[in-house]
Amino acid sequence: MNDLNSSYLKFFLIKMLSILLFSSVYSQDQIRPHIANYEVNVRGIKGSLDTILNIKENVHVAKNELNASGIASIFLKGNVEENSTFSILNSEVLPLSFSSFDSMSKEKKSLTILFEKNKNLISSIINDDKKTLPYDQGIFDRLSLKYSLMLDLSNQTLLPQYKIFEGENIKIINVEIMESKLLNVPYGEFEVIGIKNHESGSSKRSILWCAEELDYLPVVIEQYRNEKLWMQAQLSYHEFK
């Protein structure tokens, strides 16, 4: 595998969680525990995403693991693992903590974010670099944001913009609903509704095709660069716990 292809897959694996939604909503104030796996393709380079969501003492605990697969796994060792905890109050997702560790890149990178409402602070540590900002209930990490989008879609309260904090800067994410259509994936055929989202000022676009019969779980995820498709992920397995 040449360096260009390796770079594409590495970039995808690092960024995948920022565009992917992993939740399954079954009532206004609940996100159903589940397992969901995806097959991913970045210009012919294969990867896999394994996700799991549990509820422990009314706290939602999400874990996601990204790996290269097939021949790409020979060249790209390690993985990208992320964990998030959040609560749900009055149909709103409230992030509590987020952590990630990238063992795939040459320079290992770790990130921890704490949403400390009682201290009126949001704090982050990127490797050894610490940063704090005032607590804001409207700011999400990249996983809790996705669950919030799914819950809002289920409740028909989706907003045109959301705020996300990834340890350094607050970013504005613009959201737009697209028309429904039928899609075939390894897990089956589904009627889906699209959620287009992009960061303000960015030429990158993501579309999340969500199936109502799976409680708005995304079954296909597409990412475009300069309006050209360069990444696609398809649901290969799903199970409610």
Side-chain angles (χ1 to χ4, degrees):
M1 177 180 296
N2 59 40
D3 292 339
L4 179 60
N5 285 340
S6 296
S7 297
Y8 273 126
L9 183 56
K10 185 177 295 183
F11 176 81
F12 161 71
L13 291 174
I14 293 172
K15 293 297 183 181
M16 183 67 178
L17 293 179
S18 68
I19 64 170
L20 186 57
L21 308 182
F22 308 115
S23 60
S24 300
V25 182
Y26 68 96
S27 73
Q28 289 185 342
D29 292 308
Q30 297 292 331
I31 299 178
R32 198 186 316 198
H34 65 273
I35 297 171
N37 302 329
Y38 295 81
E39 297 176 0
V40 301
N41 188 312
V42 185
R43 295 189 176 185
I45 303 172
K46 307 295 184 180
S48 65
L49 167 68
D50 300 319
T51 80
I52 186 170
L53 178 70
N54 291 309
I55 300 179
K56 298 180 180 180
E57 298 180 352
N58 297 320
V59 173
H60 294 73
V61 182
K63 180 180 179 180
N64 313 294
E65 186 174 333
L66 292 166
N67 293 276
S69 63
I71 192 171
S73 63
I74 299 174
F75 301 90
L76 296 175
K77 302 298 183 181
N79 61 16
V80 180
E81 182 177 313
E82 299 191 340
N83 297 272
S84 178
T85 64
F86 58 91
S87 60
I88 298 178
L89 180 64
N90 298 326
S91 300
E92 293 187 28
V93 171
L94 303 176
L96 300 172
S97 67
F98 173 83
S99 65
S100 70
F101 182 69
D102 173 14
S103 62
M104 184 173 292
S105 300
K106 291 182 179 179
E107 295 183 3
K108 312 304 181 187
K109 182 178 179 179
S110 64
L111 167 64
T112 300
I113 302 176
L114 299 177
F115 297 83
E116 301 177 281
K117 185 176 183 180
N118 59 331
K119 297 181 180 180
N120 197 35
L121 287 175
I122 299 176
S123 59
S124 70
I125 303 175
I126 301 178
N127 293 335
D128 295 324
D129 185 18
K130 298 181 180 180
K131 184 173 183 176
T132 61
L133 65 155
Y135 180 85
D136 182 341
Q137 186 166 309
I139 297 178
F140 300 89
D141 61 80
R142 58 179 170 245
L143 287 187
S144 62
L145 170 64
K146 309 313 174 184
Y147 289 110
S148 182
L149 287 171
M150 297 304 298
L151 192 60
D152 290 350
L153 179 61
S154 175
N155 292 329
Q156 299 183 357
T157 57
L158 206 64
L159 300 175
Q161 289 187 332
Y162 291 80
K163 291 183 288 186
I164 184 172
F165 180 58
E166 295 187 307
E168 296 178 343
N169 302 307
I170 296 175
K171 300 178 181 179
I172 303 299
I173 305 299
N174 300 299
V175 173
E176 176 185 346
I177 295 292
M178 302 184 67
E179 293 184 1
S180 62
K181 64 180 181 179
L182 284 175
L183 285 179
N184 282 289
V185 296
Y187 192 64
E189 182 180 77
F190 300 92
E191 183 174 357
V192 296
I193 184 170
I195 304 178
K196 179 189 288 187
N197 63 90
H198 71 278
E199 178 186 345
S200 293
S202 173
S203 63
K204 299 174 184 176
R205 301 287 186 272
S206 300
I207 302 178
L208 308 146
W209 295 103
C210 305
E212 183 177 2
E213 66 181 276
L214 294 182
D215 301 333
Y216 292 102
L217 182 78
V219 298
V220 172
I221 303 96
E222 299 172 333
Q223 189 175 58
Y224 294 80
R225 302 181 69 179
N226 297 317
E227 305 304 327
K228 295 182 179 180
L229 179 66
W230 72 280
M231 183 284 296
Q232 186 178 71
Q234 298 187 356
L235 184 69
S236 57
Y237 178 78
H238 174 269
E239 176 186 348
F240 289 119
K241 299 180 66 180

